[in-house]
Amino acid sequence: MAAEKKIEVDRSKIQKAIKSGIPLTITTYTLPHEMEVYMGDVLRVFLEELDQGHMIEFLTYCLNELMTNAKKANTKRVYFKKKKLDITKQEDYDLGMKTFKEDTLNDIHYYLSLQKDAGLYVKLVLQVRNNKIRIDIRNNSALTIFEYKRIHDKLSRVQQYTSVEEALSQVLDDSEGAGLGLIIMILMLEKIGLTEENFQTLCENGETITRIILPLSEKTQKQISLISEEFVRIIDNLPQFPENITEINRLISDPESKMSDIAAQISNDVALTGELLKMVNSAAFALSSPCHSITDAVKLVGLRGIKNMLFSIGSMQTFKEAGGNREELWTHAYQVAFYSYNLARNFFSKDRAVVEDAYVCGLLHDMGKIIFETSRGGESEQKILAICESRGISADLFERLVAGVNHGAIGAAIAEKWNFPEVITNVIRYHHSPEDVKANIRTLTCVVYLADLLTYYQTGEVAYYQIDQEVLDLFKISNEDQLQKVSDVLKKSFKKDQDQKK
């Protein structure tokens, strides 16, 4: 018998997903043993990178239980179809379940091949954002009302037991082993401070989703908060926001200022004039005719648009003065800015504020990550390491968690330090979790969220179903073909824009 081949875990991919706030996904059709082991290994590394080692044993059990249940649900569909039974009818359901277990166990490989041929999958999705870990087990067999009721009956029974041992004895004594794994799983979650409220079962778009949502440990959250605050304090040594741009912004905010005064002040700075004209004339702003003067730029783009472009240019100047050569980060920032503006212009053209703010918010969405990267290897990083050592905090916690999980909060803190408008600050803070932002800027935050994820979608790092459904609904995108068309247009337009700048 051939030795089982172990699938190696790519730790760097997991680290990147955590830093970027994007979901990790593994898909299987038959769930062979080596895939179960691999998924367990991925979960272990994921939790290790989040400094949540105390959860590994309990969540590994939960994962195995839920994956097995999802595979069983898929097997049940092909079995019922083979028996010509309607799984949605109570009479057929009861009849089929009498023989399901024995028949499928006796010929499991045959039924697994049927479900693979039918395209029935099981997916594991891992994601962390806003100090919460989300674990999804998904399969494309929608629950019947009988299965849904059965699950909730078991969940309600959990209250009867105070321990795993008690549940084992009572459930087995009742000769009712079905559902025992689910009861044990909830009791195990309680051991790490969770309740059945952290466990959800739902159906969306033909998928059954079993979801566990759990917070990072209180200790980890305190450490993240402490190091983040120290980092923001320490990076006071960063260059201040350019004074000339600050002065222009003061003029724009002054109701007594004239357009000509603002244009004249901008014109005094040769470098700023060139940058501003280049930005105004880029494909992102889609002006009907070329703009050749600052006065025309102010009139065409408007004060709010000019102000946002100044924030963009000033921030980029400041980041580059701070040091660091992170070409990938700059490219990503410009790409998200371009996508954000064009998404806003095409989907929300009637909302002028969204269109005008989209570019700058897209450009600065990863400000926290940029600040972190530009501080690498410098005095700020050494000070942080010294603080970690003095507080007994793992030396790599800052890089693994603060720069990833908390980069939105760090970016928002920097934006506040530079007196950025609240709109920009909050989009930076919530660009990975638009559901948490105030209603008045939710559309803008969703624009930047989608623009950001589209860049990862185009590289294959994010799948269609991993994008928040409520965000897709906002854009009236109901299937992957529609998303792909939007993605293709944006990608082609961005390439053309970049080629024109060379």
Side-chain angles (χ1 to χ4, degrees), residues 445-488:
T445 310
C446 287
V447 166
V448 176
Y449 165 88
L450 183 59
D452 185 31
L453 284 196
L454 276 171
T455 67
Y456 296 109
Y457 175 76
Q458 290 166 355
T459 58
E461 295 170 85
V462 166
Y464 168 75
Y465 74 91
Q466 292 172 275
I467 301 173
D468 190 291
Q469 187 59 50
E470 289 188 11
V471 174
L472 293 174
D473 290 344
L474 184 67
F475 287 83
K476 293 182 172 54
I477 296 174
S478 58
N479 57 63
E480 187 165 7
D481 286 342
Q482 292 174 343
L483 182 73
Q484 188 65 56
K485 287 177 182 176
V486 172
S487 174
D488 290 345

Side-chain angles (χ1 to χ4, degrees), residues 178-191:
L180 175 62
L182 185 60
I183 293 172
I184 293 175
M185 188 189 76
I186 298 299
L187 291 170
M188 282 193 163
L189 289 177
E190 289 179 355
K191 284 182 176 289

Side-chain angles (χ1 to χ4, degrees), residues 63-303:
L63 174 65
N64 290 336
E65 175 68 20
L66 295 175
M67 292 296 293
T68 299
N69 287 347
K71 180 177 77 170
K72 188 185 297 182
N74 288 347
T75 306
K76 197 184 296 183
R77 267 64 188 172
V78 296
Y79 176 78
F80 272 66
K81 185 176 181 180
K82 187 72 176 174
K83 295 292 183 180
K84 295 182 171 53
L85 296 172
D86 186 345
I87 198 169
T88 65
K89 292 181 178 179
Q90 182 74 64
E91 186 178 344
D92 281 7
Y93 184 82
D94 293 341
L95 180 63
M97 290 306 296
K98 288 179 181 179
T99 53
F100 167 71
K101 186 175 181 180
E102 182 179 355
D103 286 353
T104 54
L105 283 177
N106 288 336
D107 201 0
I108 188 61
H109 294 295
Y110 170 69
Y111 285 103
L112 288 178
S113 67
L114 285 182
Q115 67 189 52
K116 183 176 182 180
D117 291 342
L120 298 180
Y121 57 74
V122 179
K123 290 180 180 176
L124 167 65
V125 182
L126 302 173
Q127 188 175 20
V128 59
R129 62 186 191 186
N130 288 347
N131 292 331
K132 290 182 180 179
I133 299 169
R134 193 181 83 183
I135 302 174
D136 278 6
I137 307 299
R138 296 170 173 249
N139 63 291
N140 52 341
S141 296
L143 283 173
T144 65
I145 190 170
F146 324 118
E147 292 168 317
Y148 192 78
K149 184 177 182 299
R150 190 177 182 85
I151 289 171
H152 282 271
D153 285 346
K154 296 302 176 186
L155 291 176
S156 65
R157 288 192 63 182
V158 173
Q159 305 299 326
Q160 302 174 22
Y161 311 113
T162 58
S163 68
V164 172
E165 293 73 23
E166 183 183 353
L168 277 169
S169 63
Q170 291 195 27
V171 174
L172 291 179
D173 284 348
D174 290 341
S175 300
E176 190 186 326
L180 175 62
L182 185 60
I183 293 172
I184 293 175
M185 188 189 76
I186 298 299
L187 291 170
M188 282 193 163
L189 289 177
E190 289 179 355
K191 284 182 176 289
I192 51 176
L194 305 178
T195 70
E196 65 272 13
E197 292 179 2
N198 297 91
F199 177 83
Q200 303 172 358
T201 299
L202 58 152
C203 289
E204 289 180 356
N205 301 318
E207 281 190 325
T208 294
I209 304 169
T210 306
R211 178 171 295 159
I212 300 174
I213 299 177
L214 53 155
L216 296 176
S217 66
E218 188 176 341
K219 176 185 175 184
T220 301
Q221 290 191 50
K222 286 181 178 178
Q223 290 177 337
I224 290 174
S225 178
L226 170 67
I227 303 175
S228 297
E229 289 171 5
E230 292 289 352
F231 180 67
V232 172
R233 181 182 62 79
I234 286 170
I235 60 172
D236 281 345
N237 295 329
L238 277 174
Q240 296 299 304
F241 203 69
E243 181 57 34
N244 61 330
I245 292 179
T246 301
E247 180 58 36
I248 295 167
N249 276 319
R250 287 196 196 104
L251 271 177
I252 292 173
S253 300
D254 184 352
E256 301 296 321
S257 295
K258 298 177 182 178
M259 288 282 196
S260 57
D261 295 333
I262 296 167
Q265 185 69 36
I266 294 173
S267 299
N268 288 335
D269 189 318
V270 176
L272 182 59
T273 298
E275 285 293 321
L276 193 53
L277 287 174
K278 183 169 69 174
M279 190 172 289
V280 170
N281 285 309
S282 71
F285 289 89
L287 297 179
S288 58
S289 59
C291 178
H292 300 292
S293 74
I294 293 301
T295 301
D296 289 342
V298 172
K299 291 177 181 178
L300 285 166
V301 180
L303 292 181

Side-chain angles (χ1 to χ4, degrees), residues 330-356:
W330 301 131
T331 301
H332 178 71
Y334 286 121
Q335 189 174 12
V336 174
F338 183 91
Y339 286 10
S340 296
Y341 177 78
N342 282 279
L343 284 171
R345 187 166 60 89
N346 284 283
F347 287 91
F348 306 103
S349 58
K350 293 181 180 179
D351 194 332
R352 185 174 177 181
V354 169
V355 176
E356 290 184 343

